Amino acid sequence: MRGASQAKWVVAAVAVALAATACGSGGSSGGGAGDAGPVNAQGVFSYQSSEPQNPLQPANAMEVGGGRIIKSLFKGLVDYDPTDGKLRNQVAEKIETTDAQNYTVTLKSGWTFHDGTPVTAQSFVDAWNWSANVKNNQINSDWFSDIQGYTDVHPDKGDPTAQTMSGLKVVDDTHFTIALTGPVSYFQYKLGYTAFSPLPKVFFTDPAKYGQSPIGNGAYKFVSWEHNKAVTVAAYDKYAGIDKPKNAGIVFKNYSQAEAAYKDLVSDNLDVLDQVDPSDLASYKNDLGDRAVDQAQGAIQSISFSLYQAEWQGQDKAKVRQGLSMAIDRATITKTVLNGSRQAANSWVAPGAMGYKDNTCGEYCTYDPAKAKQLVTEGGGVPGNKITVLYNADGGHKEWVDAVCNSIRQATGVECVGDAKPDFKTSRDLIKNKKVNGLMRTGWVQDYPLNANFLRDVYGTGAAANDAGYSSAEFDKFAAEADKATSVEKTAELYQQAEAQLAKDMPAIPLWYYKTTAGYSKNVQNVKYDSFGDPVFTQVEVKQK
């Protein structure tokens, strides 16, 4: 679950890349003309959600349960216009660079936090320094690794030797500068991610307490958090952004079963759905009519190997992993079990992202039972001839996990079973703490629409989202070369070399590309989804009753 940004000199290129995934195709245009009605500006709507994995701190969410809530509470320098994907400034008046390494940021005046204190350059610099510091244990701390002085506040071992990154300098209340360790052509893509949000002074007095009742600067302010039930936010009347809410608030309502969320939606007890569960995909368009949504999304579903476990290490095991990938009949599973709601994947990057290249996985993502069994045998087989696939039971994944396991079992003779955990938080805690034996579900929604986000941020050595524990000197070399390019187009081209390395090592098996298959109740209108799969929360209108 992520965000995105970039500067003027790459806007044109990004607009082209985003055109393929921008909101608007199929299913819903926001309620249908026949459903439009008088609006209750004081109305609050509910949204299908899950318990956040961590406290609600901007740099401490890498999953949708916490990430979407934080996006509603905070606004960074930039974000994307959900209608066409183009970059738009929010807190930033402008971000300037001549060399893709040194940046000058100018802020707009008039932005305030929900406690009334002003948002200043210091608010950003202090937040980034705190979030990057290894002692503060923020899950997204490595997002700051491009900035000079990051290794001083976040050494690989031991305590920090500094409290601030040398690459950040406050000029005055509305200006600060950023110096990177080297050119990163797409750095400004990254600045829209929630980790780069500003923080108010009160945060630093008690970060733990703040994480339970955050104060942001976004379109919505925090109201309450009933753990394992719901998080409620209310529209902030002094919000200075260009996307002012058309509603009075949101209830992020937890569901332990996706099927239950869908039933509530159909009965109008839930207003906006995240994703339709597999068992209802065949009927949801008939059930919801014009309120059904079916459109492209910049996301991919994969299953990753626990490469930190001894049984998956060694070059021969790459053959086993490749064989297991070839044992999965993606075309049949997406057509039948998932009712055509997904597109079979043959790359590690979702279509629509700049640098996407078709079929980088090659033969290893092509169903071939005979070759699959051969590779598994040549690689020494699977220990105990059995594998498990960890997944969260509250996300509607059981059906496809069972189908993937059946396909593997029939093609190779390897026993395969799903390992269901009760909720997303439980599964993510096990994955984060490297306590998985076997395989794990590792879906990825773009943070920014560039192949680097699907590659470096997921498979780079030590990357926060590198759930597999994958480490390849070759992959890291290609990624480093791509990062040094001074044009975003060249960066995207060079990252394709890094992606080719994944086919050789197979740290994760690409399964299919997501589509947003969702819908909304009769209580709301003007419901639209962006290319990240998120509802455009501020534009949802609650109908008069």
Side-chain angles (χ1 to χ4, degrees), residues 63 69 90 137 140 150 199 201 279 295 392 472:
E63 32 68 51
I69 295 167
Q90 287 283 12
N137 196 32
N140 287 317
Y150 173 77
L199 288 169
K201 291 182 180 178
S279 63
Q295 66 182 50
N392 53 302
S472 163

Side-chain angles (χ1 to χ4, degrees), residues 346-361:
N346 57 20
S347 301
W348 285 266
V349 177
M354 185 182 293
Y356 163 76
K357 185 177 181 180
D358 186 48
N359 203 29
T360 54
C361 187

Side-chain angles (χ1 to χ4, degrees), residues 323-402:
L324 293 174
S325 178
M326 297 186 76
I328 300 171
D329 189 352
R330 295 163 178 79
T332 299
I333 294 172
T334 53
K335 181 180 179 180
T336 58
V337 178
L338 296 170
N339 284 281
S341 65
R342 307 288 186 266
Q343 176 188 345
N346 57 20
S347 301
W348 285 266
V349 177
M354 185 182 293
Y356 163 76
K357 185 177 181 180
D358 186 48
N359 203 29
T360 54
C361 187
E363 65 171 328
Y364 302 126
C365 284
T366 301
Y367 180 56
D368 186 336
K371 185 66 177 293
K373 189 169 186 178
Q374 176 187 336
L375 286 173
V376 170
T377 301
E378 288 178 359
V382 174
N385 204 44
K386 181 179 180 179
I387 54 175
T388 59
V389 181
L390 183 145
Y391 68 96
N392 53 302
D394 61 348
H397 303 296
K398 182 181 188 303
E399 290 84 354
W400 70 255
V401 170
D402 288 347

